Amino acid sequence: MNFEQPKPDSKKYSDLISDIEKGIIKIPKFQREFVWGIDKTAKLLDSILKGYPIGTFILWKTDERINDIKNVGNLDIPPTPDGTKVEYVLDGQQRITSLFAAYRGAKIQKIGEKKVTDYGDIVVNIDVDISDSDGQVISSEPTGEKSISLSTVLNFSFAKAKELESKFTGDELQLIDSYANAFRTYEFSTVVLRKEDIDSAIEVFTRINTGGQTLTLFEIMSAKTYDEEQSFDMTVKWGDFIKELKDIKYEGVSNSVVLSLLSLVLSRTKECKRKTILALDKHTLIDAWDDAISALKDSIDYFRTTYRIPVSQILPYDALLIPFAYFFYHKKDKPSGQQKKLLEEFFWRMSLSFRYSSSTESKLAQDIKRIDTILEGKRPDYADIKVNLESPRALVTTNFSAGNSFCKAILCLLAYQEPKDFRDNGKVILDNSWLKIANSKNYHHFFPKAYLAAKQIQNGNSLVNITFVSDHLNKRKIGAKAPSVYIGDFHDENSEIDIALTSHFISLNGFGIESDDYATFLAQRSKLIYDSLKSRIDLTHQESVNEELEELIVGGESEKVEFKSTLRYDLRTKVVNKKLEFVIAKTIAAFLNSEGGDLLIGIDDDSNALGLETDLQTLEKQNIDGFELLLIGIIKKYVGTEYGNHIKISFPIYDSQQICRVRVSRSGTPVFTTYEGKEEFFVRTGCSSQPLGRGEQSIYEKEHWT
């Protein structure tokens, strides 16, 4: 049997640079960033000048195209010419990049650094004796009286010598030429791996880097699935997704999530072990990528709206996204009522059982079978999973830790209640950057730890003692005060503070607040939390009748949802503003011309319920009937009378405030608005209503209604 062995070879400096400049030698993206400083590069070149060995470059020669580094600092590296084999650097990236930077005198700004390193500053010290082993001929700055730029020496020629005759003597120019010749004739040792498959290359890279960087599974799969023709770069695609998540406070999701999902969806065995992921077919994976990302988005939206988990940091495990994304990969629309109940049970059983603390891959494979059962509308068996929900007392004795999955599950429950500010009943805004540590500005011990310590009361860090509050309350208003004191102060400011307390599983009555009775507080609150969790596991939890509306509002504005604080009252100028009435009309017209949607009046941009009171006070008939009559009149005036069947108006209660909901369905014909004699055509674009010009409108009509 014949084996194709790697072949040792050599390259001269000029050949090395030429191959880089032609796009033949490339740095794969799974290599770490260029980190060598100017001093280390100077020492490397000094070793070459003195004829010392600098190690072997290992190159992988192949027709395969993987994602590579496109530039080094200000130096663009061209693509490999079609029909030419590429040579990827598996070992020696820092040395080769240093040689290239020195040759070109490059200016490079390294990752994480503000300063720009100028490799053109490296010099050759003419008056340093090359035979002196202690002396450094090449250095990052001159060490003697006479020096010359290294890049000049590396590119030395007869013409350059003529230019330098006024600066250097004939002997010095002859020395410079001998140095240039030493670089030109230096033989760099190379070993070329000629096996075409990427698996062999990655195996070589991994083995020779056992003492340094180890490739992650994502880096390997990113290299294996790179496709120039389809413009598919997994690293870039995932980076784009993370940018989207950052906008909605869900950054921090591991890239292992998408690989596990793809493996569970695509593999015949429905597993997500490392070897299963590595065996996935490149083209099948690329074809499934967009659907997988879409399913992850659906999962995140589901967590944000249905479970009201506003930020990723309190999610017990980001691995929880995987089974939910698997569900939405196979079911493109919303879950049925039964499926919704079963998914809720699944979520809480996994969250309260330390399910993904270890052996995550095998457990996900088991849980996907449960999701398959839920997809069929049936309840899975959970006999093998122990839920850590023994009693209210067990909650009391659990210490709070922001990184503990069980504690995070309780935080998810608290977030579901949409906790209100003690001072004004506004929503407590949760922020990912604050929630990463146990002393977050949002985490508040209802009985402050400093207060309990002063009273020598134990168990101050009980999980049951934790609430969510706004930063300014925690730091400035509460501090180390007794609950009876600070809640009393808030009660003076907020006559409806009991509504706020209820959203935290707390009540003014029977919770020991007035007497600062910590034991009573823990006993009463733990029972409410326990009962709420138990109902979710036992499938007895009942949502409010406004659940669908709450999901809509928590989800925020979108192409199909628009919030307006008022109908006509200008909150800035404190007077009626008729222009706001037209804004309402154009939003309705845009929904009619698009895919329909919901306009919610009395809700501000941050999803806070303001209610309709300010508008009602501007009406002759100051009640809901008067409001509805005005709204209908606005629609007739600016949009027309023929769209009544497409518009439904209702006045639900949300957050103790009456708001107006205008449900709009898609029109079968174009709808125009008329304002101050000007006719316009509006459509929904993102979170806003935008007018289209005549040309755009004509194209839109053909695509939308034909």
Side-chain angles (χ1 to χ4, degrees):
M1 184 179 291
N2 293 322
F3 295 96
E4 187 178 4
Q5 298 292 349
K7 295 178 172 58
D9 204 345
S10 64
K11 284 181 184 286
K12 288 188 168 58
Y13 202 149
S14 59
D15 295 331
L16 205 63
I17 299 301
S18 175
D19 284 348
I20 295 172
E21 291 178 331
K22 290 177 183 176
I24 294 173
I25 291 179
K26 307 285 280 186
I27 309 292
K29 267 193 180 174
F30 55 68
Q31 290 273 20
R32 62 180 176 148
E33 298 289 342
F34 178 49
V35 296
W36 272 22
I38 193 169
D39 288 332
K40 200 163 185 179
T41 298
K43 287 180 181 178
L44 174 72
L45 272 294
D46 191 68
S47 295
I48 293 170
L49 179 63
K50 293 173 179 175
Y52 299 158
I54 63 163
T56 300
F57 297 125
I58 300 180
L59 307 173
W60 171 42
K61 192 169 185 176
T62 178
D63 287 319
E64 186 91 46
R65 295 294 187 266
I66 65 174
N67 47 349
D68 56 67
I69 294 169
K70 307 300 180 189
N71 58 66
V72 178
N74 63 338
L75 307 176
D76 290 329
I77 301 174
T80 306
D82 292 337
T84 303
K85 286 184 180 289
V86 63
E87 296 180 14
Y88 292 109
V89 180
L90 298 183
D91 191 39
Q93 177 242 352
Q94 299 292 323
R95 285 169 287 151
I96 281 185
T97 308
S98 289
L99 293 173
F100 187 51
Y103 187 87
R104 295 283 292 269
K107 293 179 172 65
I108 296 177
Q109 184 176 12
K110 300 187 184 71
I111 299 296
E113 291 186 5
K114 291 183 179 179
K115 69 171 186 175
V116 174
T117 302
D118 188 351
Y119 288 80
D121 289 341
I122 300 177
V123 296
V124 178
N125 296 291
I126 302 300
D127 47 4
V128 173
D129 186 356
I130 192 171
S131 62
D132 182 2
S133 58
D134 293 329
Q136 193 167 324
V137 178
I138 300 176
S139 59
S140 57
E141 56 185 28
T143 59
E145 294 182 4
K146 276 211 168 182
S147 63
I148 184 173
S149 165
L150 171 65
S151 59
T152 300
V153 175
L154 293 173
N155 294 275
F156 199 66
S157 63
F158 178 77
K160 180 60 68 174
K162 296 294 288 181
E163 288 178 24
L164 297 173
E165 282 180 340
S166 61
K167 294 182 180 180
F168 299 97
T169 66
D171 289 342
E172 288 169 342
L173 287 173
Q174 193 170 8
L175 179 64
I176 292 170
D177 183 58
S178 68
Y179 285 170
N181 188 58
F183 284 118
R184 281 193 294 268
T185 57
Y186 187 89
E187 299 275 344
F188 293 97
S189 174
T190 63
V191 170
V192 179
L193 176 70
R194 301 179 189 276
K195 293 183 178 180
E196 284 288 333
D197 63 297
I198 189 173
D199 291 314
S200 295
I202 288 171
E203 179 64 20
V204 169
F205 178 84
T206 302
R207 291 192 179 205
I208 62 180
N209 281 277
T210 52
Q213 178 193 17
T214 301
L215 285 185
T216 66
L217 182 58
F218 185 85
E219 287 171 325
I220 294 173
M221 290 303 295
S222 182
K224 290 185 69 170
T225 57
Y226 179 74
D227 192 290
E228 283 186 332
E229 289 184 7
Q230 298 188 61
S231 298
F232 186 84
D233 184 333
M234 187 185 289
T235 301
V236 172
K237 294 275 188 185
W238 182 255
D240 291 341
F241 177 55
I242 292 299
K243 286 177 186 174
E244 290 185 58
L245 296 190
K246 191 172 184 179
D247 291 337
I248 60 169
K249 309 294 185 186
Y250 260 79
E251 71 272 26
V253 176
S254 167
N255 52 34
S256 63
V257 166
V258 71
L259 294 180
S260 296
L261 172 61
L262 286 163
S263 184
L264 291 163
V265 166
L266 299 177
S267 65
R268 181 182 56 80
T269 56
K270 289 190 177 181
E271 292 180 317
C272 56
K273 295 177 180 177
R274 181 184 175 89
K275 67 176 183 180
T276 309
I277 293 172
L278 288 171
L280 291 176
D281 176 70
K282 168 182 172 177
H283 298 291
T284 305
L285 184 149
I286 292 173
D287 290 342
W289 178 269
D290 286 342
D291 285 340
I293 292 296
S294 177
L296 281 171
K297 289 179 179 178
D298 287 339
S299 301
I300 291 167
D301 284 343
Y302 196 73
F303 285 172
R304 292 175 67 222
T305 57
T306 304
Y307 300 152
R308 304 176 199 163
I309 302 171
V311 289
S312 58
Q313 202 58 41
I314 62 173
L315 199 61
Y317 305 98
D318 62 0
L320 269 168
L321 286 167
I322 299 167
F324 278 81
Y326 179 92
F327 176 92
F328 287 108
Y329 187 94
H330 292 287
K331 185 176 175 64
K332 306 302 182 186
D333 53 351
K334 286 188 174 182
S336 66
Q338 175 67 1
Q339 288 173 329
K340 191 172 180 180
K341 278 285 185 189
L342 296 173
L343 284 172
E344 181 179 45
E345 179 190 15
F346 178 91
F347 176 86
W348 289 105
R349 284 188 179 275
M350 300 304 121
S351 298
L352 295 168
S353 62
F354 299 100
R355 180 65 175 167
Y356 302 128
S357 296
S358 62
S359 306
T360 304
E361 296 169 357
S362 60
K363 288 174 181 174
L364 281 170
Q366 296 166 14
D367 292 340
I368 289 309
K369 294 176 183 177
R370 292 186 168 95
I371 296 297
D372 283 332
T373 303
I374 293 174
L375 282 164
E376 296 172 1
K378 301 174 185 176
R379 183 178 180 275
D381 179 26
Y382 295 102
D384 60 321
I385 297 177
K386 182 183 183 300
V387 174
N388 291 280
L389 192 64
E390 298 170 2
S391 66
R393 182 62 192 164
L395 293 174
V396 171
T397 57
T398 299
N399 274 329
F400 172 67
S401 170
N404 180 282
S405 62
F406 184 85
C407 292
K408 285 184 175 184
I410 306 304
L411 294 177
C412 285
L413 180 69
L414 299 181
Y416 178 85
Q417 298 292 109
E418 295 184 320
K420 303 183 189 306
D421 194 295
F422 297 147
R423 187 175 63 177
D424 56 13
N425 283 21
K427 287 183 181 176
V428 175
I429 304 301
L430 304 179
D431 186 298
N432 248 5
S433 63
W434 290 354
L435 297 171
K436 292 177 182 176
I437 51 177
N439 60 351
S440 157
K441 300 172 185 179
N442 277 137
Y443 301 141
H444 164 62
H445 293 78
F446 190 82
F447 274 72
K449 288 174 72 176
Y451 166 78
L452 293 173
K455 297 286 185 179
Q456 296 186 325
I457 299 174
Q458 302 298 310
N459 199 21
N461 197 38
S462 169
L463 175 58
V464 179
N465 194 26
I466 296 296
T467 58
F468 284 127
V469 298
S470 302
D471 168 42
H472 68 278
L473 285 192
N474 209 352
K475 203 160 49 176
R476 302 173 193 168
K477 297 285 186 179
I478 299 174
K481 296 177 183 176
S484 62
V485 175
Y486 75 78
I487 291 297
D489 291 341
F490 288 135
H491 192 278
D492 292 339
E493 296 181 51
N494 179 12
S495 61
E496 296 183 329
I497 191 174
D498 206 28
I499 294 174
L501 288 168
T502 300
S503 70
H504 294 264
F505 292 108
I506 302 170
S507 174
L508 277 176
N509 300 316
F511 273 64
I513 294 175
E514 292 182 353
S515 58
D516 295 323
D517 187 339
Y518 186 50
T520 297
F521 171 81
L522 293 178
Q524 295 291 0
R525 190 168 190 243
S526 64
K527 188 177 187 311
L528 288 183
I529 293 174
Y530 175 84
D531 289 344
S532 186
L533 291 171
K534 197 79 165 58
S535 70
R536 285 162 166 78
I537 291 171
D538 295 341
L539 298 179
T540 58
H541 174 236
Q542 295 295 321
E543 295 289 354
S544 68
V545 293
N546 273 340
E547 176 200 353
E548 186 255 344
L549 175 64
E550 289 172 353
E551 286 188 20
L552 205 66
I553 294 173
V554 171
E557 291 184 306
S558 66
E559 277 194 337
K560 303 191 75 172
V561 179
E562 177 81 9
F563 300 154
K564 294 298 177 188
S565 297
T566 63
L567 175 65
R568 68 200 303 237
Y569 184 78
D570 193 319
L571 295 172
R572 183 176 58 84
T573 61
K574 310 298 183 186
V575 295
V576 171
N577 183 350
K578 292 294 185 75
K579 291 182 180 179
L580 296 179
E581 296 180 358
F582 176 67
V583 173
I584 296 291
K586 79 175 185 181
T587 301
I588 293 172
F591 281 140
L592 287 165
N593 285 327
S594 303
E595 299 300 328
D598 285 89
L599 168 63
L600 300 168
I601 306 172
I603 300 289
D604 70 12
D605 291 342
D606 294 322
S607 303
N608 293 312
L610 304 182
L612 308 176
E613 191 59 35
T614 52
D615 277 322
L616 293 177
Q617 291 175 4
T618 70
L619 305 177
E620 184 177 337
K621 189 177 181 181
Q622 296 184 356
N623 56 27
I624 294 302
D625 288 342
F627 186 98
E628 186 170 8
L629 284 172
L630 174 62
L631 178 56
I632 292 171
I634 291 169
I635 296 170
K636 286 181 179 179
K637 178 180 178 180
Y638 296 114
V639 182
T641 59
E642 62 269 43
Y643 303 104
N645 291 335
H646 293 278
I647 301 170
K648 304 297 180 187
I649 301 171
S650 61
F651 295 90
I653 302 296
Y654 178 72
D655 261 10
S656 304
Q657 297 284 350
Q658 189 161 36
I659 64 172
C660 176
R661 180 179 185 179
V662 185
R663 304 189 71 175
V664 184
S665 59
R666 169 177 165 157
S667 170
T669 56
V671 179
F672 297 86
T673 59
T674 304
Y675 182 64
E676 295 182 345
K678 182 182 178 183
E679 189 178 75
E680 289 188 284
F681 181 83
F682 287 93
V683 297
R684 291 295 288 179
T685 303
C687 300
S688 63
S689 303
Q690 298 293 328
L692 296 184
R694 290 292 182 187
E696 294 174 311
Q697 172 200 327
S698 178
I699 295 170
Y700 183 86
E701 286 183 25
K702 290 177 182 177
E703 293 177 348
H704 193 66
W705 281 289
T706 58

